[in-house]
């Protein structure tokens, strides 16, 4: 036998046992987006590598070590499987001049690819849903995005999700803070681990995000970016806080909250839970006023978030909030091969009036016994069995049997009345 082929490590098949939950969550998200007037955008999964290098920043985790990059075999073009979608959305917005007649509210959903160490809540192919508001400068739309995510948790019934916010200020403010931070960290160089030493002069802000317990005291006392913010950055932050307060959305200011990508400024936020181990961030975002220009567009402000679908599903599961698997309404029992033509007509007639119908189909060994067909009917989760018994068919009808109630008899319904029978049940 040939060697078994398996999926790439960290990339998962989503099989029928779970795909219904995915579809349900996606439908909830589409409703949510529609209720906030965000419109769907679908960009390619493969983008020029340069888009991410330029958009995310050369010294980010993603660009340094997580991208699936390859050369186009025909023309040598450097390509990358998208590790996130904001850069691609912005590219599309610029390419198609979408901000020409005003700002835009957009959302996307789909797979992303990062070469990370696979573990619970962290995969190499994973799925994000993201919302981006492009062309809006004020904190009102930052708050709108936060409300949207908070609404999602309540629509889903999720509990124990906390909001953390921070401000990253503007580039000049970050620069002043960065110098102070480098000076402070350099003065404590003996406490820095190898990764921090490497980052000291490239991306010192990210050192504050370290998970190394031996560096926690050091980063706790580090100069805080908040103390370097100017008047207008502070006003933006206060504006956001006032909007959240007025709407009774609770939050914690986390001065150490920085985002993985270079492109963020002003508001940044994360929704976190303690119920998913160390992969506790379920949704993260912030403002990225510089990105559109960096990707070649006319300068315009923007803000957005992305949520991790796998992590949300995992949290829903742990809080027992996932819907039951979808089942057909009707299972059609086909005792003999001779009944197949009538069965096809019956199924289509029921579907035409809105029923979800699973037809028993034969195998090379025949139709299978009535007993085994009823077992399948039961396993399908259907509420009704419609049975094409010989005697009933001869009289122009079928038997119908309720599968989930009290054990009881069955009734006969004329073939011409099946649609009406189903409609009367609704
Ligand atoms: P982390 O700190 O967990 O690596 P990140 O800062 O890299 O997250 P973002 O790039 O902001 O994450 O992505 C937004 C969301 O997408 C995350 O909050 C998380 O829910 C999800 N996510 C990110 N990377 C992965 C992954 N490898 N597998 C599953 N979900 C992920
Ligand atoms: Mg990451």
């Amino acid at each position: 036998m040939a060697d078994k082929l398996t999926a790439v490590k960290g990339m998962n098949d989503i099989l029928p046992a779970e795909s219904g939950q995915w579809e349900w969550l996606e439908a909830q998200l589409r409703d949510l987006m529609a209720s906030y007037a965000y419109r769907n955008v679908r960009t390619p999964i493969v983008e020029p590598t340069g888009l991410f290098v330029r958009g995310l920043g050369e010294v980010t985790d993603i660009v340094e070590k997580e991208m699936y990059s390859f050369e186009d075999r025909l023309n040598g073009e450097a390509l990358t499987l998208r590790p996130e979608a904001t850069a691609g959305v912005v590219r599309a917005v610029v390419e198609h001049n979408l901000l020409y007649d005003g700002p835009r509210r957009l959302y996307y959903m789909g797979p992303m690819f990062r070469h990370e160490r696979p573990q619970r809540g962290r995969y190499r192919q994973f799925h994000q849903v993201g919302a981006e508001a492009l062309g809006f400068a004020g904190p009102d739309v930052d708050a709108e995005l936060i409300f949207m995510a908070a609404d999602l948790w309540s629509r889903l019934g999720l509990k124990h999700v906390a909001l953390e916010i921070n401000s990253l200020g503007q580039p000049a403010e970050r620069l002043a803070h960065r110098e102070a931070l480098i000076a402070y960290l350099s003065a404590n160089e003996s406490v820095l681990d190898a990764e921090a030493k490497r980052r000291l002069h490239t991306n010192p802000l990210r050192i504050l995000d370290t998970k190394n317990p031996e560096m926690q005291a050091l980063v706790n006392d580090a100069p805080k970016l908040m103390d370097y913010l100017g008047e207008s950055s502070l006003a933006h932050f206060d504006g956001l806080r006032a909007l959240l307060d007025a709407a009774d959305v609770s939050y914690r200011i986390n001065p150490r909250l920085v985002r993985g990508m270079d492109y963020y400024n002003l508001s940044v936020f994360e929704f976190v839970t303690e119920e998913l181990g160390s992969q506790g961030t379920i949704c993260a975002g912030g403002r990225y006023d510089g990105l559109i220009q960096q990707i070649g567009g006319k300068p315009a402000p923007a803000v957005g978030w992305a949520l991790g679908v796998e992590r949300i599903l995992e949290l829903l599961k742990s809080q027992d909030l996932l819907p039951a698997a979808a089942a057909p309404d009707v299972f059609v029992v086909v005792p003999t091969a001779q009944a197949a033509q009538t069965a096809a007509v019956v199924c289509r007639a029921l579907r035409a009036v809105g029923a979800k119908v699973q037809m028993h189909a034969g195998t090379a060994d025949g139709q299978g016994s009535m007993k085994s067909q009823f077992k399948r009917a039961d396993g399908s989760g259907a509420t009704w069995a419609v049975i094409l018994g010989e005697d009933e068919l001869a009289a122009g009808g079928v038997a119908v049997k309720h599968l989930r109630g009290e054990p009881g008899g069955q009734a006969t319904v004329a073939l011409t009345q099946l649609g009406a029978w189903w409609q009367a049940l609704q």
Side-chain angles (χ1 to χ4, degrees):
M1 246 209 315
D3 284 346
K4 263 210 190 117
L5 290 167
T6 57
V8 175
K9 190 171 170 219
M11 306 199 180
N12 301 312
D13 298 310
I14 299 157
L15 302 173
E18 285 176 354
S19 59
Q21 300 160 358
W22 282 71
E23 290 181 323
W24 166 80
L25 179 57
E26 286 158 5
Q28 300 276 329
L29 279 154
R30 285 195 190 95
D31 273 4
L32 176 79
M33 295 297 170
S35 79
Y36 277 79
Y38 281 61
R39 307 259 310 266
N40 187 222
V41 56
R42 303 178 188 217
T43 59
I45 283 172
V46 178
E47 295 276 4
T49 302
L51 172 67
F52 302 113
V53 176
R54 224 203 289 177
L56 275 50
E58 217 143 343
V59 291
T60 53
D61 275 356
I62 293 182
V63 172
E64 271 187 343
K65 52 190 187 202
E66 294 176 356
M67 295 205 301
Y68 282 92
S69 298
F70 57 98
E71 231 176 60
D72 184 301
R73 266 206 255 186
L74 292 179
N75 63 11
E77 198 183 350
L79 301 175
T80 292
L81 300 185
R82 64 182 186 192
E84 57 92 60
T86 299
V89 168
V90 168
R91 179 203 48 70
V93 162
V94 170
E95 187 170 334
H96 304 286
N97 209 7
L98 285 193
L99 297 184
Y100 178 74
D101 48 7
R104 293 271 184 169
R105 291 175 163 93
L106 302 173
Y107 81 91
Y108 59 82
M109 31 177 86
M112 309 295 157
F113 303 83
R114 296 185 194 176
H115 202 282
E116 314 198 57
R117 193 168 67 78
Q119 53 198 289
R120 177 186 183 203
R122 191 175 293 288
Y123 310 100
R124 290 180 174 172
Q125 174 172 338
F126 64 100
H127 297 76
Q128 287 184 336
V129 175
E132 316 281 5
L134 304 118
F136 301 92
D140 51 353
V141 84
D142 305 18
E144 173 179 277
L145 280 157
I146 289 175
F147 296 150
M148 182 168 27
D151 282 0
L152 179 63
W153 319 140
S154 50
R155 281 175 185 230
L156 297 175
L158 280 175
K159 291 170 287 287
H160 315 307
V161 177
L163 168 63
E164 298 190 345
I165 64 171
N166 190 21
S167 175
L168 298 183
Q170 298 294 5
E173 295 156 358
R174 287 224 306 254
L175 202 64
H177 168 253
R178 180 190 152 103
E179 277 163 18
L181 187 61
I182 293 178
Y184 168 84
L185 293 170
S186 306
N188 293 281
E189 204 167 342
S190 60
V191 193
L192 300 183
D193 60 18
E195 171 132 319
K197 280 189 185 133
R198 196 171 54 78
R199 284 194 158 138
L200 186 54
H201 294 280
T202 56
N203 200 350
L205 203 58
R206 284 289 277 167
I207 298 177
L208 300 182
D209 206 18
T210 179
K211 300 197 165 98
N212 183 347
E214 276 150 39
M215 288 174 54
Q216 294 308 310
L218 180 74
V219 297
N220 277 334
D221 294 338
K224 295 200 174 20
L225 181 51
M226 200 60 81
D227 298 330
Y228 289 78
L229 298 193
E231 215 174 300
S232 102
S233 294
L234 285 173
H236 189 102
F237 192 54
D238 291 344
L240 173 61
R241 291 183 55 189
L243 285 154
L244 297 178
D245 292 338
D248 257 336
V249 170
S250 52
Y251 57 87
R252 189 174 80 88
I253 298 173
N254 176 359
R256 281 171 49 195
L257 179 62
V258 296
R259 304 283 316 119
M261 276 69 102
D262 272 2
Y263 53 57
Y264 287 105
N265 69 319
L266 294 174
S267 320
V268 288
F269 52 88
E270 285 191 355
F271 287 91
V272 296
T273 168
E274 286 174 359
E275 293 173 18
L276 293 177
S278 48
Q279 269 61 251
T281 304
I282 56 172
C283 176
R287 190 158 268 288
Y288 50 93
D289 293 337
L291 184 63
I292 297 179
Q293 181 173 29
Q294 207 166 312
I295 283 175
K298 258 184 38 202
V303 53
W305 55 243
L307 61 76
V309 176
E310 285 85 353
R311 292 186 194 178
I312 305 272
L313 285 168
E314 175 100 14
L315 190 60
L316 284 163
K317 187 171 165 199
S318 79
Q319 297 187 9
D320 206 14
L321 294 168
L322 288 170
D329 300 312
V330 176
F331 188 100
V332 175
V333 174
V334 191
T336 63
Q338 289 72 26
Q341 291 177 7
T342 314
V345 174
V346 161
C347 289
R348 298 184 72 197
L350 286 168
R351 289 178 190 129
V353 292
K356 299 188 191 86
V357 181
Q358 179 171 336
M359 184 187 74
H360 175 80
T363 67
D365 299 332
Q367 289 300 104
S369 68
M370 285 287 270
K371 193 172 159 208
S372 78
Q373 290 197 36
F374 269 107
K375 227 166 136 186
R376 277 179 198 237
D378 195 47
S380 75
T383 315
W384 289 92
V386 167
I387 307 137
L388 277 69
E390 265 177 291
D391 295 347
E392 285 90 351
L393 280 185
V398 294
V400 298
K401 184 170 193 250
H402 198 285
L403 295 171
R404 307 288 150 190
E406 301 284 306
Q410 46 188 57
T412 308
V413 177
L415 279 171
T416 51
Q417 292 305 308
L418 261 181
W421 166 75
W422 179 255
Q423 281 171 318
L425 287 172
Q426 302 317 299

